[in-house]
Amino acid sequence: MSIPMAALIGVLFAAGTYLMMHRTMTRIILGFAVLANAVNLLIITAGGPPGSPPVLGEDGVLADPVPQALVLTAIVIGFGIQAFLLALAWRNWTLDGNDEVEDDIADRRLAERAGLEETPEEAVEDVATEVDAGVQRRGDEQPQDEERR
Amino acid sequence: MDQLVPLTFAIPLLGAALSLIAVRRQRVQRVLNLTCLTATLGLAVALLVHVERGDQAAVAQVGAWPTDIGITYVLDRLSGLLLVIAFTTMLLVLVFAVGEKGRDEHSPYYHPAYLVLAAGIGAAFCAGDLFHLFVAFEILLMASYVLLTLHGQPGQVRSGTTYVIINSVESLVLLAAVGLVYAATGTLSLADLPDALAALDPGVRTGLQVLLLIAFGLKAAVFPLFFWLPDAYPTAPSPVTAVFAGLLTKVGVYCMIRTQTLLFPDQHRTLLLIVAGLTMIIGVLGAIAQTDMKRILSFHIVSQIGYMVMGLGIGGPAAVAATVFFLLHQIPIKTSLFMVEGVVESTEGTGALDRLSGLARRSGWLALLFALPALSLAGLPPFSGFVGKLGLITAGVDRGQYVLVVLALVGSLLTLVSMAKIWLGAFWGAPAVPGAAAAAAPVGLLRHRRTMGGATGMLVAVGLVLAIAAGPIYSYCERTADDLTTPGRYAAQVEADR
């Protein structure tokens, strides 16, 4: 594995992980795309040093074609998941007016019971999103929750 | 006969395609789905009998390429057994879903997605190399994403988002592990890997093992990686939750059994033991804290996974046999509990314990259908859960793992407590208040939902059969464990067919 390639994979992994730590769907989707590509490059490098053609080589020098076939499949699967994530983000946006990934309801209740409504950072974010989405968002969620149980 | 192995997932995939064509014809879709699953179940039984008679795994080389570059599908004792129980469960859950009036009518894509899920599960059990295991995982995950968010309601989208993201990350970890395994050994075939891995530096082996364990552990929901499950599962419609609870995490456990026994025999068992102990106890404590039937049962999935990992951690044929039996019994038991919950929810409109009461008086049959698998889950004799746990505990005592044995016993006791909580909250006492006149009359809950009740009853019966026929089934599990723990036997069986 050449050093620039290794460095590139490392940077992509780091960037992808960083993006996926965020709470907004768009960043998570971008992060997923970057991570998926990092993994694909990792598999390609598993096939040995670059430069040789995969199937018909001159002087009988061949690159290993198996990782390339694997990556082809992995790319298709990655695209499929990204498309699904985009659809999910769209649905989330039509329902909530934002693309934030929300907390588990039970977690929220536990936090409330423990007396700490929210951690300070989250409170700031929540205020911001609630201003954006209109304050009735919380109100909408209650009846839905009631209906479910 | 061997060449029929790929049909175990080709039939459902074909059915899914036809079902997509018949998108406007609900009845055609139902018949198609039932036919496909029945045919696949029949095939799985035939293959299982074939494998058991010949004492030789059924191996299909797609396109007759050699194992190291072609695609291999292997059906040995373990995969055959799990295929049969998985398709039985899926078939009965499908009957249940059709019986839950209107559930599959909401969306024309329920049936295709369900068949794709079946195909993914079939392919995962039969995959003969790591990359195809990854592909099978993706197929079943994709179908599960669709099933979970099919109705697009806010709660489902909220929890579905977490589920989809966590599982996508899991796939990437698995894919990275596959890439690194290939980089280190130059092969991905499960038959060739044991030798190739044995030649590696111990540090590299440990790294690969931990990566694979993280990937499969996330799927199986073991201790530090289970947080997504109790949030995601309860929001789905009951038949979907039932099939997820019964099968999806168990596919993760299957992969852990396969990779641990085959690729990394006896390596890092202490890690597995710690994970197992924590999974058992924290899962069941989570269950006790909940007040909703579905959420209690969801936490139990986590807890029970701990027992299977415990068997793997203890190691040796006896413990692995107990693990296989435990895995086998969990699939119908867990699914039938969620089906009972589905009946309750569809008639009462809720699964919250503080709003339910006195169901036992209104339908004795439903109470019975809940009580039998619940007792089995808690591991009381003479049910199948007892047989599995007894095997695990005996193996643990033999190997001197006393701490874990104590944890397992405490976990069982707490399981019983939380089952009693559901029983006291939902089934015992006077009938609930809403519509006092209607509630006072002894209405059979099952009479309204005859098909659902029937399907649940049959699955509970499957669980009872496991208890009644525990002798022969357990000896089959011992033969399976013998296959799994004998180094080189898997490779020899695949090679023999080459």
Side-chain angles (χ1 to χ4, degrees):
Chain A
M1 185 191 280
S2 59
I3 289 179
M5 197 67 167
L8 176 65
I9 295 173
V11 169
L12 285 180
F13 262 106
T17 313
Y18 176 76
L19 280 172
M20 288 204 89
M21 297 287 179
H22 288 266
R23 284 187 82 89
T24 47
M25 270 298 270
T26 29
R27 283 186 203 184
I28 290 174
I29 294 169
L30 285 175
F32 178 80
V34 173
L35 264 184
N37 280 311
V39 176
N40 289 342
L41 282 180
L42 182 74
I43 297 180
I44 279 286
T45 49
S52 318
V55 178
L56 290 174
E58 296 157 25
D59 318 327
V61 182
L62 288 185
D64 189 348
V66 176
Q68 312 203 359
L70 300 187
V71 152
L72 193 60
T73 315
I75 289 173
V76 174
I77 291 173
F79 271 141
I81 294 179
Q82 281 167 43
F84 189 84
L85 280 171
L86 278 173
L88 205 58
W90 163 254
R91 179 72 190 155
N92 211 0
W93 188 80
T94 53
L95 286 171
D96 271 3
N98 65 38
D99 69 341
E100 201 175 334
V101 179
E102 288 175 53
D103 284 334
D104 180 1
I105 296 173
D107 282 355
R108 217 182 258 176
R109 280 202 201 114
L110 275 182
E112 276 165 21
R113 201 190 294 171
L116 31 113
E117 280 282 311
E118 281 145 329
T119 57
E121 290 164 73
E122 269 174 349
V124 174
E125 260 182 60
D126 263 19
V127 169
T129 49
E130 262 167 24
V131 171
D132 277 33
V135 190
Q136 80 275 35
R137 201 190 85 209
R138 279 272 164 99
D140 284 348
E141 211 170 73
Q142 251 8 62
Q144 166 58 32
D145 189 31
E146 295 293 312
E147 197 181 293
R148 198 168 65 73
R149 39 200 56 245
Chain B
M1 194 76 196
D2 285 9
Q3 297 308 319
L4 296 182
V5 173
L7 282 184
T8 50
F9 50 89
I11 295 174
L13 272 184
L14 183 68
L18 292 177
S19 191
L20 271 178
I21 295 172
V23 125
R24 297 191 185 283
R25 294 170 183 271
Q26 203 77 44
R27 195 164 291 173
V28 176
Q29 282 191 323
R30 284 179 189 168
V31 171
L32 204 59
N33 201 342
L34 286 171
T35 318
C36 285
L37 285 180
T38 315
T40 324
L41 176 62
L43 179 69
V45 171
L47 284 168
L48 180 69
V49 171
H50 173 70
V51 167
E52 177 61 17
R53 274 216 190 120
D55 195 17
Q56 163 73 33
V59 182
Q61 307 283 6
V62 178
W65 289 91
T67 316
D68 46 348
I69 55 170
I71 298 173
T72 316
Y73 288 103
V74 184
L75 190 137
D76 63 350
R77 283 207 173 96
L78 179 62
S79 1
L81 185 67
L82 290 177
L83 272 181
V84 169
I85 195 78
F87 282 119
T88 311
T89 310
M90 287 204 78
L91 188 61
L92 289 173
V93 173
L94 180 69
V95 174
F96 180 89
V98 171
E100 186 173 17
K101 196 165 174 292
R103 178 59 76 195
D104 64 337
E105 285 165 5
H106 275 312
S107 169
Y109 301 108
Y110 176 80
H111 288 289
Y114 196 79
L115 279 171
V116 173
L117 183 72
I121 290 173
F125 286 150
C126 295
D129 66 85
L130 278 182
F131 191 78
H132 284 91
L133 197 57
F134 162 77
V135 174
F137 257 87
E138 287 307 312
I139 294 173
L140 75 88
L141 282 178
M142 214 53 177
S144 76
Y145 301 160
V146 173
L147 285 173
L148 194 64
T149 54
L150 198 55
H151 300 300
Q153 284 162 3
Q156 293 171 347
V157 171
R158 183 191 56 75
S159 65
T161 309
T162 325
Y163 176 81
V164 173
I165 294 170
I166 296 284
N167 279 289
S168 313
V169 172
E170 177 257 3
S171 321
L172 289 181
V173 174
L174 179 55
L175 191 57
V178 168
L180 289 173
V181 167
Y182 191 81
T185 61
T187 177
L188 287 173
S189 154
L190 285 175
D192 297 339
L193 270 175
D195 291 340
L197 281 169
L200 288 182
D201 181 62
V204 179
R205 279 186 73 187
T206 305
L208 294 178
Q209 185 190 12
V210 169
L211 262 184
L212 284 175
L213 276 183
I214 290 175
F216 296 138
L218 246 172
K219 189 72 239 151
V222 299
F223 159 62
L225 310 170
F226 71 89
F227 50 86
W228 53 270
L229 187 145
D231 182 32
Y233 281 15
T235 53
S238 295
V240 173
T241 316
V243 80
F244 281 16
L247 290 170
L248 287 200
T249 46
K250 308 316 184 269
V251 179
V253 175
Y254 161 81
C255 294
M256 285 174 95
I257 295 178
R258 185 63 91 197
T259 50
Q260 183 66 22
T261 56
L262 188 63
L263 306 185
F264 308 100
D266 299 334
Q267 198 185 334
H268 295 291
R269 288 218 307 260
T270 324
L271 174 75
L272 285 174
L273 286 173
I274 296 170
V275 165
L278 287 171
T279 310
M280 284 190 271
I281 294 301
I282 290 180
V284 81
L285 287 179
I288 286 183
Q290 300 298 321
T291 55
D292 183 282
M293 274 178 86
K294 254 188 183 173
R295 291 190 72 96
I296 294 182
L297 293 174
S298 296
F299 270 100
H300 271 300
I301 303 175
V302 177
S303 167
Q304 304 297 319
I305 297 293
Y307 289 90
M308 302 169 202
V309 181
M310 170 182 167
L312 271 185
I314 293 169
V320 174
T323 303
V324 172
F325 187 85
F326 199 79
L327 176 61
L328 180 71
H329 118 99
Q330 273 291 307
I331 294 173
I333 293 294
K334 204 74 235 188
T335 310
S336 54
L337 281 172
F338 273 98
M339 282 158 92
V340 171
E341 199 278 341
V343 175
V344 170
E345 198 169 298
S346 80
T347 50
E348 305 293 287
T350 175
L353 289 181
D354 47 359
R355 300 200 195 167
L356 293 170
S357 182
L359 290 179
R361 197 170 298 176
R362 293 175 54 198
S363 173
W365 280 108
L366 189 68
L368 187 69
L369 287 185
F370 175 79
L372 291 176
L375 290 175
S376 183
L377 189 75
L380 291 189
F383 296 103
S384 49
F386 172 73
V387 181
K389 281 184 182 168
L390 185 69
L392 284 173
I393 286 170
T394 330
V397 170
D398 283 348
R399 293 279 180 124
Q401 305 288 355
Y402 298 111
V403 180
L404 210 62
V405 168
V406 171
L407 282 180
L409 291 172
V410 171
S412 301
L413 195 65
L414 292 177
T415 308
L416 193 59
V417 169
S418 62
M419 284 298 141
K421 188 176 169 181
I422 296 184
W423 180 262
L424 289 174
F427 291 95
W428 218 234
V433 193
V443 183
L445 289 179
L446 285 181
R447 217 167 300 153
H448 293 301
R449 300 280 186 267
R450 210 171 281 165
T451 322
M452 294 166 78
T456 315
M458 280 170 76
L459 200 57
V460 171
V462 170
L464 289 180
V465 166
L466 287 183
I468 294 165
I473 293 177
Y474 203 85
S475 71
Y476 180 89
C477 291
E478 277 171 342
R479 286 198 294 281
T480 309
D482 195 38
D483 281 353
L484 289 174
T485 48
T486 311
R489 185 172 294 180
Y490 185 89
Q493 292 200 338
V494 176
E495 299 290 326
D497 198 77
R498 199 177 265 182

